[in-house]
Amino acid sequence: MRSTSEIQSLVNRRQKNKSLEAPFYNAAEILDLDIDVIFGKHWIFVAVDPELPEPGDCVTVEIGNASILILRGDDMELRAFHNVCRHRGARLIDERATTIGNIVCRYHGWSYNEDGELILAEHMGSGFDKSCHGLKTVHVRSIAGLIFICLAKDAPEDIEDLARTMEPYIAPHDIAHCKVAHSSELIEEGNWKLTMENNRECYHCEGNHPQLTVPLSEFGFGFSPDELDERRSGDVKKYLESVARDHQRWESCGLPSAEEDHLANVTGFRTMRLPLSWEGESHTLDTKVASKKLLGSFTDAKLGGLSFWTHPNSWHHFMSDHIVTFSVLPLAPNRTLVRTTWLVHKDAIENQDYTLDNLTQVWTMTNLQDAMLVRLAQLGSEQPAYEPGPYSTFTEPHVEAFCDWYIKRLQNHFAETKAELAAE
Amino acid sequence: MADEKLTEVTRVPLWDPEQDDVLVCRQVRQETHDVKTFVFSGREPRAFRFYPGQYMTFDLPVEGMVTRCYTISASAARPYRVEITVKRVPGGPGSNWLHDYMVPGKEVNVSGPGGEFTADATGEDKLLFLSAGSGITPMMSMTRTACDLSEPSDLHFVHAARSPADIIFRDELALLATQNPSLKLAFTCETASANHSWSGYTGRLSLQMLSLMSPDFLERKIFCCGPALFMEGVRNMLQQAGFNMEKYYEESFDFGAETAGDLEEYASVAPEISDQTFRVSFPKTGHVVECGPGMTVLSAAREAGLLPVSSCQRGICGTCKSKLISGQVDMQHGGGIRQREIDQGKILICCSTPLSDIEVEI
């Protein structure tokens, strides 16, 4: 069992541009700290608006031991509460997604309205004060249809920076008028940070993602210019040309496309609209749209793929015809849930405007391939010979950005804890 | 020994309101489609001493706890058990709770008896009892007591009901009248119904009708109990007839003026307007039941012998959500159902009353 000071020294001696020391990937007490400090105090991406399209729709999400229920009220606003009855603590909603009137505990019938106020608790006597037993609230924020929650009492305020920057990028894809075409839950046998690190580079793409790299250029996430053979030089040149050309075209029709890198923020994020190869329409094997019904008011299918990452737990791809979102939630030091959701226009009809197979196959395959890589990385971190290795400054700067952010958040936590102790 | 002077062969201790506070339900009787009698005794044998016409105050575990007063309908001359006779009231949490949950073996906290509304029907006064609806209960207690003790001296018992099917204690009153020539009965029903033949008076109680029912009513001491509108009508009628109102006594089920009573429950009793019943069908099980005015679909299902799952009984929890296959209901829910579910034909049966014949999937 590592003490707090041991963890603190692991944090402090972390070397920049190198992978983390093994305990960060496999120690239970560090996962506990991650759940408390990272997942308990930052904005966590958990769902999309179309999962709760109507009043009374409700989804639940588990972050560590906390179960949170998110409910859309009659005023169409979202509310989030701890999914715990104030009577004897029974879980209120046991389904991942459901529709409810009031929030009712099936154990003894305690009932809460959509604002979390206790409105019915029988047999508690006339002296019982219902107003003291409302549900505990959780911060919730939908950013152009992407739902984030924060378990902290005081949520990081720079979510506003993210909202201000990202809404113009995301809004044209009109999540509000999408529906969930498919969702999947994949458990990767690795630490959540390995899942995130793997996502933040495409160094591994060419050797592992034959489907993903049909539409998506591995060069969209960095490369070493000195080591390119003739084929790759040609590809890079083409890619860079397409970035310049496409960005100009997209920007001119009101689609922000330029890179925005705010990965060092407390609520860290990065975005860029990436050109896609071949037909350039979507993340499909033929790179054409998977759904005939384009999103929002799009008339042009060739809008590339808007890539959007957030710390600590999400990435997203917005195309002209569909959206794929990914939410990463730790389950154990070596187990991580990756929840993937595919959205299409709400009026798109399955097997007429799209087929699930064509819509989902690129990311279904890619997720499985990534899960295997994360598992190998996890196994490696548990070997005695493992030691932190160097990141490529060309292809892995965003992995470094993620680890740097993570380490800084822990440092900040220890500094705050120390300040609190000193103040007592 | 003082004990030897007791006529009380059973030597059962008296119910002492200062000491005793728990009644145990011993029997439940269905009097009419929406009226039940609940028979109680103490946990240990107790003899109750009360004046016929008095009520007891019940603590019912509804909405935390509600307090309701119910008149004892039993004979004061049968002291070992007390009975209350309660009509199911739409939106009346107390009466609905009793109807739905009070079963033999169940215990309830009470206080009393209390109340001043009583008459000795064995005395010399000529009496006229005027009651409507469940206002019959104190009159019944007085009448039963008088019949048990000897015989009423001269008692006219007039009762107004919505329909023949709503006359509470009809058979027992007929039997008592057979056995006690000094007891005269008269009933009037606002409307006759298709299901019951009716040869008695029809329509609201009027002076003309009263003169036929009890020709010497001006010479009688009058006790009146029923809905406020009924009693108001009786007062006007009597004043119009030049009745000496010093001989007029009335009991309101709105005990609010005197004790901790329930205005709301009373208020919803008052407009006894219709005897219309609707057919409630449950096609899944084949049950069909006639649902009286104000009766919820849940109550109708229970009447039919079904036990649909339900919890809060007032449209908050959504446990009893069911599909309305056909017909219309009036649903007064408390947030346990969303508009989109209502649009899909769902109802909460605990807070829905039929507005037509209906079919419900439970």
Side-chain angles (χ1 to χ4, degrees):
Chain A
M1 194 70 185
R2 276 168 198 80
S3 66
T4 304
S5 64
E6 282 171 299
I7 297 173
Q8 217 167 332
S9 69
L10 277 170
V11 166
N12 288 334
R13 74 179 186 224
R14 191 258 162 171
Q15 287 182 280
K16 274 197 166 281
N17 294 307
K18 278 196 169 180
S19 60
L20 302 176
E21 290 194 54
F24 285 111
Y25 301 122
N26 49 42
E29 53 272 32
I30 294 187
L31 182 80
D32 291 345
L33 188 68
D34 288 356
I35 286 173
D36 176 17
V37 176
I38 304 296
F39 285 85
K41 295 191 172 139
H42 293 85
W43 286 97
I44 304 301
F45 170 73
V46 292
V48 288
D49 270 352
E51 290 178 63
L52 314 84
E54 293 185 58
D57 286 339
C58 170
V59 298
T60 58
V61 62
E62 275 75 58
I63 296 178
N65 287 333
S67 176
I68 309 302
L69 75 87
I70 303 161
L71 172 69
R72 191 174 299 281
D74 274 324
D75 56 5
M76 292 307 281
E77 294 297 317
L78 293 170
R79 292 117 167 102
F81 306 102
H82 282 276
N83 190 12
V84 175
C85 183
R86 294 295 309 278
H87 176 215
R88 279 164 54 194
R91 176 172 296 210
L92 293 164
I93 307 295
D94 199 27
E95 298 95 343
R96 158 72 183 149
T98 183
T99 297
I100 54 175
N102 291 318
I103 304 163
V104 179
C105 180
R106 76 174 55 154
Y107 199 175
H108 302 95
W110 282 34
S111 303
Y112 307 83
N113 66 16
E114 64 182 25
D115 294 318
E117 294 159 355
L118 179 62
I119 53 170
L120 178 68
E122 291 186 303
H123 307 294
M124 295 305 291
S126 50
F128 177 67
D129 187 355
K130 288 206 275 272
S131 69
C132 299
H133 295 84
L135 294 182
K136 294 183 179 177
T137 58
V138 169
H139 299 283
V140 60
R141 181 80 203 263
S142 167
I143 293 175
L146 302 178
I147 299 170
F148 292 80
I149 61 173
C150 180
L151 303 185
K153 186 166 155 280
D154 301 311
E157 289 172 4
D158 65 353
I159 185 81
E160 299 309 326
D161 295 343
L162 183 151
R164 205 168 30 246
T165 308
M166 289 310 303
E167 274 165 357
Y169 277 84
I170 302 171
H173 296 267
D174 197 9
I175 295 179
H177 290 95
C178 287
K179 66 172 178 182
V180 176
H182 186 66
S183 65
S184 78
E185 290 194 345
L186 177 66
I187 293 173
E188 297 190 353
E189 292 174 45
N191 187 271
W192 69 275
K193 294 186 286 294
L194 292 174
T195 300
M196 295 306 297
E197 290 175 30
N198 177 70
N199 168 259
R200 300 288 143 104
E201 48 97 355
C202 213
Y203 192 175
H204 71 272
C205 286
E206 189 173 33
N208 291 281
H209 292 321
Q211 293 82 14
L212 180 65
T213 50
V214 174
L216 205 60
S217 168
E218 58 175 312
F219 305 123
F221 305 92
F223 54 88
S224 166
D226 308 333
E227 296 169 41
L228 299 175
D229 57 21
E230 208 174 311
R231 173 185 68 84
R232 286 178 164 185
S233 296
D235 289 349
V236 165
K237 188 159 170 283
K238 259 170 60 186
Y239 175 72
L240 293 176
E241 282 170 5
S242 66
V243 170
R245 190 182 58 242
D246 290 341
H247 274 197
Q248 197 183 15
R249 183 167 66 85
W250 295 331
E251 297 263 358
S252 74
C253 45
L255 294 178
S257 305
E259 179 181 4
E260 285 277 357
D261 186 335
H262 304 257
L263 288 171
N265 284 15
V266 174
T267 306
F269 67 100
R270 177 182 181 270
T271 195
M272 183 173 171
R273 196 173 290 274
L274 301 170
L276 300 176
S277 309
W278 308 101
E279 298 288 338
E281 294 180 355
S282 204
H283 286 190
T284 52
L285 281 185
D286 61 5
T287 70
K288 290 183 180 173
V289 286
S291 172
K292 284 185 218 157
K293 207 114 202 145
L294 296 188
L295 305 182
S297 53
F298 296 148
T299 50
D300 182 359
K302 299 187 187 208
L303 301 178
L306 173 66
S307 157
F308 173 43
W309 296 343
T310 71
H311 289 333
N313 86 318
S314 80
W315 63 91
H316 315 259
H317 297 279
F318 297 80
M319 279 74 70
S320 62
D321 66 321
H322 79 276
I323 299 166
V324 197
T325 71
F326 303 81
S327 173
V328 172
L329 297 166
L331 302 174
N334 59 352
R335 279 163 62 84
T336 299
L337 175 69
V338 178
R339 188 173 273 145
T340 307
T341 306
W342 285 263
L343 303 175
V344 295
H345 193 284
K346 67 176 172 48
D347 298 332
I349 300 165
E350 192 182 341
N351 296 330
Q352 185 174 313
D353 295 313
Y354 68 96
T355 65
L356 273 190
D357 192 41
N358 187 43
L359 177 73
T360 60
Q361 66 178 327
V362 164
W363 275 105
T364 300
M365 299 306 290
T366 303
N367 279 346
L368 289 170
Q369 292 148 4
D370 282 331
M372 182 191 68
L373 299 173
V374 167
R375 175 174 159 271
L376 295 177
Q378 179 70 30
L379 290 173
S381 79
E382 290 165 8
Q383 293 191 42
Y386 172 79
E387 62 177 299
Y391 293 139
S392 157
T393 52
F394 296 109
T395 60
E396 292 170 315
H398 302 309
V399 184
E400 169 58 23
F402 172 75
C403 291
D404 188 50
W405 176 87
Y406 168 75
I407 292 293
K408 286 214 168 87
R409 298 318 304 154
L410 292 192
Q411 281 172 338
N412 182 68
H413 163 73
F414 289 126
E416 279 177 0
T417 312
K418 202 173 154 191
E420 277 167 29
L421 287 175
E424 272 171 16
Chain B
M1 296 252 313
D3 275 1
E4 288 167 5
K5 295 187 177 173
L6 286 174
T7 55
E8 210 353 322
V9 288
T10 52
R11 303 188 183 188
V12 170
L14 272 180
W15 169 270
D16 177 359
E18 302 298 315
Q19 301 281 326
D20 296 317
D21 54 7
V22 174
L23 288 181
V24 184
C25 180
R26 302 297 179 186
Q27 191 187 27
V28 179
R29 291 198 299 266
Q30 189 85 42
E31 300 286 359
T32 70
H33 65 95
D34 62 354
V35 174
K36 284 181 178 177
T37 291
F38 302 91
V39 182
F40 299 97
S41 67
R43 277 178 174 157
E44 305 294 330
R46 286 288 181 275
F48 296 87
R49 179 184 284 166
F50 62 94
Y51 297 111
Q54 283 192 307
Y55 56 83
M56 291 185 88
T57 306
F58 288 65
D59 292 332
L60 304 178
V62 191
E63 287 169 348
M65 197 62 79
V66 298
T67 302
R68 293 288 182 274
C69 301
Y70 294 101
T71 308
I72 300 169
S73 51
S75 167
R78 301 185 190 185
Y80 308 115
R81 308 207 294 190
V82 288
E83 302 175 10
I84 57 173
T85 300
V86 180
K87 184 175 136 143
R88 186 188 281 281
V89 176
S95 61
N96 282 342
W97 188 88
L98 282 169
H99 271 250
D100 292 334
Y101 294 106
M102 184 52 73
V103 292
K106 202 165 183 77
E107 298 190 341
V108 65
N109 271 62
V110 297
S111 57
E116 307 285 327
F117 186 69
T118 186
D120 176 7
T122 61
E124 291 180 4
D125 290 319
K126 294 165 75 174
L127 298 177
L128 167 59
F129 290 170
L130 289 174
S131 62
S134 46
I136 197 171
T137 51
M139 314 307 190
M140 195 61 189
S141 179
M142 296 179 206
T143 307
R144 282 168 163 166
T145 305
C147 292
D148 278 344
L149 292 180
S150 56
E151 184 178 329
S153 53
D154 184 348
L155 173 60
H156 287 180
F157 194 120
V158 170
H159 179 66
R162 275 190 317 229
S163 78
D166 290 302
I167 301 173
I168 308 168
F169 308 127
R170 186 179 178 183
D171 292 343
E172 186 179 344
L173 281 169
L175 180 65
L176 291 176
T178 309
Q179 295 165 343
N180 298 276
S182 52
L183 168 62
K184 304 275 188 225
L185 297 179
F187 299 109
T188 181
C189 292
E190 277 187 52
T191 52
S193 80
N195 301 337
H196 296 79
S197 66
W198 180 242
S199 56
Y201 295 88
T202 304
R204 288 187 177 235
L205 186 67
S206 64
L207 192 52
Q208 195 183 9
M209 203 187 277
L210 186 62
S211 308
L212 295 170
M213 291 166 156
S214 178
D216 59 350
F217 76 90
L218 285 173
E219 298 162 23
R220 291 176 181 269
K221 204 187 248 189
I222 298 181
F223 285 77
C224 180
C225 183
L229 280 176
F230 171 79
M231 293 196 295
E232 192 187 322
V234 167
R235 279 196 306 272
N236 291 340
M237 194 190 300
L238 295 178
Q239 276 158 0
Q240 196 189 328
F243 183 77
N244 173 12
M245 293 306 279
E246 282 177 13
K247 293 198 295 173
Y248 173 79
Y249 305 87
E250 69 176 28
E251 176 79 324
S252 167
F253 276 179
D254 169 14
F255 291 98
E258 305 155 56
T259 61
D262 177 31
L263 275 169
E264 173 217 353
E265 195 153 341
Y266 172 65
S268 47
V269 179
E272 296 194 8
I273 30 168
S274 153
D275 71 335
Q276 177 142 35
T277 62
F278 294 112
R279 181 177 293 265
V280 179
S281 316
F282 304 99
K284 244 183 171 173
T285 57
H287 289 75
V288 179
V289 65
E290 286 290 314
C291 185
M295 194 173 188
T296 64
V297 179
L298 175 61
S299 304
R302 290 199 174 116
E303 293 287 326
L306 296 169
L307 291 170
V309 287
S310 70
S311 180
C312 76
Q313 312 284 322
R314 72 207 90 151
I316 291 174
C317 73
T319 307
C320 65
K321 201 175 292 166
S322 305
K323 173 103 180 147
L324 179 66
I325 302 166
S326 71
Q328 269 93 45
V329 296
D330 172 30
M331 178 163 61
Q332 302 292 332
H333 69 84
I337 187 166
R338 294 279 171 179
Q339 186 58 45
R340 54 197 282 212
E341 297 172 297
I342 298 168
D343 297 343
Q344 291 160 7
K346 301 275 176 60
I347 59 169
L348 300 182
I349 60 174
C350 73
C351 57
S352 295
T353 50
L355 295 172
S356 68
D357 291 349
I358 60 170
E359 289 178 291
V360 182
E361 191 173 293
I362 56 169

